[in-house]
Amino acid sequence: MPEFTKWPSFPFEGDIRVKQIDDPVEVEPSRKGEDSADCVACAAPDEAYIWVSDRWRVRAMDQPSGLPMVLILESRSHLDLGDLPNLLAAELGVMTVRLERAVRSLDGVARVHVNRWGDGSAHLHMWFLARPYGRLQLRGTFLSLWDAILPPIPEMQWRENLALVAAWLAEFGGRPLAEPPHIQWQAPSSFSADGDTDTEIGAGTGTTRESDSNGTSAPTPAEPISSVAALEEPDDEAAATQAASASPDPAGDATPTNA
């Protein structure tokens, strides 16, 4: 077994077996959204983000996760990292530092991990993951795995954190779209023995849904991003299909780096 399985930060214990390494394919499959016409990031409206500007947008998960904050910085233009012109390349450095400071300003955040994989989606996106203060076991390269393992943080705290980061970024320009949580109460227009409707807060960054007496609900549709893996996991089915078509004899994730 590799040495990192003995690190205190390794999330798993017990019997572990290394997968068999597949033979390399002759032609790698296309990533999701290689064509801007099929790109989810290009098609997403500004309202799906917590902060936007003319050239950059910042997006959150569709629901709270185990870390205090997980955010994605995207270029508005359909470009990958190596395709950035000098202006956007210089701005990427500024935006990276600015967003790291915004996330690190939140209560209970010790460090902010900045990651870029790019194997799952073609549109440039940088990950910002907040490591909770005092959680020494979460230090290092496995933070994105711990995010999916830890119980989600309270939704009210998550929404407040989103609004704080958006407001912090807006101090330097752009437009904040995340709002702090509102007081959840209703003043009825009339009193009755059996109420017909109630309102509950949805799981997304600003989604509400109304439930009637028969228990049905109509949630506002949104493009979900539930975890790092949801966006970064390559399409194995597409890879297998393309590999099979490229060669009659079939002979394939990435290690995160922190900045």
Side-chain angles (χ1 to χ4, degrees):
M1 296 298 295
E3 187 65 25
F4 64 73
T5 60
K6 302 176 183 178
W7 296 355
S9 60
F10 188 65
F12 310 106
E13 61 184 359
D15 294 334
I16 301 173
R17 185 174 61 186
V18 177
K19 284 185 175 181
Q20 180 68 33
I21 301 298
D22 296 333
D23 293 330
V25 300
E26 293 186 4
V27 179
E28 289 205 2
S30 299
R31 297 171 297 176
K32 294 186 286 287
E34 291 282 6
D35 188 342
S36 60
D38 303 322
C39 178
V40 172
C42 290
D46 281 355
E47 288 71 26
Y49 293 76
I50 70 164
W51 174 89
V52 298
S53 71
D54 292 341
R55 292 184 287 273
W56 302 95
R57 301 197 290 184
V58 175
R59 191 169 190 175
M61 303 297 95
D62 66 320
Q63 58 189 359
S65 58
L67 300 180
M69 183 57 54
V70 178
L71 294 174
I72 309 171
L73 172 65
E74 295 177 356
S75 59
R76 188 178 285 275
S77 301
H78 187 71
L79 299 166
D80 203 350
L81 181 62
D83 303 325
L84 293 178
N86 289 342
L87 172 62
L88 289 183
E91 283 191 351
L92 176 60
V94 174
M95 285 301 306
T96 299
V97 173
R98 186 173 295 168
L99 187 50
E100 191 274 347
R101 288 174 177 169
V103 176
R104 189 159 41 89
S105 72
L106 299 174
D107 290 340
V109 172
R111 299 283 185 269
V112 181
H113 293 202
V114 181
N115 300 285
R116 185 262 177 179
W117 290 281
D119 279 333
S121 178
H123 194 116
L124 173 62
H125 55 288
M126 304 280 290
W127 289 90
F128 292 74
L129 297 89
R131 198 261 292 170
Y133 188 89
R135 294 285 189 175
L136 302 186
Q137 192 176 0
L138 275 58
R139 294 179 298 177
T141 56
F142 302 115
L143 187 63
S144 61
L145 300 181
W146 281 110
D147 181 51
I149 296 170
L150 295 171
I153 67 171
E155 185 169 341
M156 293 286 283
Q157 175 189 345
W158 176 66
R159 291 178 180 275
E160 184 174 300
N161 287 346
L162 291 176
L164 288 171
V165 170
W168 205 101
L169 292 174
E171 288 292 321
F172 300 90
R175 182 163 55 102
L177 296 175
E179 296 182 353
H182 301 287
I183 299 174
Q184 299 182 30
W185 67 278
Q186 286 183 303
S189 56
S190 62
F191 294 92
S192 61
D194 53 341
D196 293 327
T197 63
D198 58 51
T199 303
E200 60 179 295
I201 300 297
T205 56
T207 303
T208 61
R209 61 187 179 197
E210 291 190 347
S211 303
D212 54 27
S213 56
N214 62 14
T216 61
S217 62
T220 303
E223 185 66 36
I225 300 180
S226 57
S227 67
V228 176
L231 189 62
E232 294 300 336
E233 182 66 21
D235 192 337
D236 291 336
E237 182 178 351
T241 302
Q242 186 159 342
S245 62
S247 173
D249 297 320
D253 225 322
T255 300
T257 58
N258 303 319

